[in-house]
């Protein structure tokens, strides 16, 4: 049921074929969990799958005939080797606190004031890490480039990227009383 709710909210950046893409995305996710029944769905996995699907359903893709199978295969790689692995294995998100602490540790080494400010918001960065930034980046080409970088980089690349984005938004984060994680990406 959560898959249906999340897929219905997936915007696909106001594309003309958004409804068709949502149907394909739903097929991807259902096939993924039928193929890998030990994995658990987490809210936001649809954003990761949608970014992959956009690559394999584009007119320039040689996988245009069967984007579902290719998307399922790539999603499996992401969910077995990268930071997403613990999210699908452990629905209680044990690893998420560890990852956020790693971001905080990196920031503390460079900018203690910024790190201290971000600790006031214990959930900042959660959706960025859970979705490989796909939920927080609306520009489709940027979203796809980020996903490509995550797929081709070491597993903890998103941790370093999140710390870097926070540093880049330092002034905004420190001056905004109602800081929201989206401020980190708004001007980046």
């Amino acid at each position: 049921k959560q898959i249906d709710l999340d897929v219905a909210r997936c915007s696909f950046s106001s594309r003309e074929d958004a409804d068709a893409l949502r149907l394909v995305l739903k097929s991807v996710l259902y096939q993924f969990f039928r193929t890998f029944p030990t994995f658990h769905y987490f809210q936001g996995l649809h954003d990761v799958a949608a970014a992959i699907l956009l690559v394999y359903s584009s007119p320039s893709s040689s996988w245009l005939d069967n984007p579902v199978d290719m998307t399922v295969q790539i999603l499996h790689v992401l969910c077995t080797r990268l930071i997403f692995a613990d999210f699908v294995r452990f629905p209680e998100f044990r690893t998420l606190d560890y990852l956020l602490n790693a971001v905080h540790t990196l920031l503390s080494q460079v900018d203690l004031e910024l790190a201290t400010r971000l600790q006031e918001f214990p959930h900042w960065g959660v959706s960025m890490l859970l979705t490989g930034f796909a939920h927080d980046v609306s520009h489709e080409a940027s979203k796809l480039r980020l996903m490509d970088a995550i797929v081709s980089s070491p597993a903890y690349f998103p941790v370093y990227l999140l710390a870097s984005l926070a540093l880049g938004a330092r002034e905004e984060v420190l001056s905004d009383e109602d800081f929201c994680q989206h401020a980190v990406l708004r001007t980046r």
Side-chain angles (χ1 to χ4, degrees):
K1 183 164 176 137
Q2 189 62 51
I3 289 173
D4 293 340
L5 293 171
D6 288 347
V7 169
R9 288 191 298 256
C10 197
S11 72
F12 287 108
S13 301
S14 304
R15 292 171 55 118
E16 288 180 23
D17 58 348
D19 288 337
L21 283 169
R22 279 188 203 95
L23 288 173
V24 176
L25 177 59
K26 196 180 292 191
S27 295
V28 164
L29 291 168
Y30 282 123
Q31 181 175 325
F32 180 77
F33 288 103
R34 276 192 305 273
T35 306
F36 307 103
T38 60
F39 288 166
H40 302 276
Y41 180 77
F42 62 88
Q43 199 166 359
L45 185 61
H46 72 288
D47 288 315
V48 177
I52 298 165
L53 177 61
L54 288 173
V55 171
Y56 292 104
S57 63
S58 73
S60 62
S61 174
S62 61
W63 292 98
L64 193 55
D65 291 339
N66 197 353
V68 172
D69 287 344
M70 182 48 82
T71 303
V72 166
Q73 290 176 33
I74 299 296
L75 194 57
H76 181 253
V77 169
L78 286 175
C79 290
T80 55
R81 294 193 307 189
L82 299 177
I83 67 167
F84 305 110
D86 286 344
F87 302 154
V88 294
R89 289 191 184 118
F90 308 110
E92 64 276 359
F93 297 122
R94 288 184 247 182
T95 306
L96 199 51
D97 286 335
Y98 170 78
L99 294 173
L100 289 171
N101 284 334
V103 173
H104 181 265
T105 299
L106 287 170
L107 288 173
S108 295
Q109 298 299 311
V110 180
D111 190 329
L112 189 56
E113 182 182 13
L114 177 62
T116 302
R117 170 72 171 141
L118 288 173
Q119 275 203 308
E120 295 173 25
F121 305 93
H123 300 293
W124 92 273
V126 167
S127 72
M128 291 183 231
L129 291 174
L130 279 176
T131 68
F133 302 86
H135 179 76
D136 299 281
V137 177
S138 58
H139 186 257
E140 193 172 286
S142 297
K143 185 183 301 194
L144 297 179
R145 273 190 235 109
L146 272 170
M147 194 57 64
D148 187 46
I150 290 169
V151 169
S152 62
S153 297
Y156 287 90
F157 170 74
V159 169
Y160 289 92
L161 178 60
L162 186 55
S164 178
L165 287 169
L167 285 168
R170 180 184 197 281
E171 296 308 316
E172 191 172 0
V173 171
L174 293 176
S175 66
D176 187 352
E177 285 185 32
D178 299 318
F179 167 73
C180 173
Q181 71 178 8
H182 302 291
V184 174
L185 291 174
R186 201 173 296 140
T187 58
R188 308 300 162 266

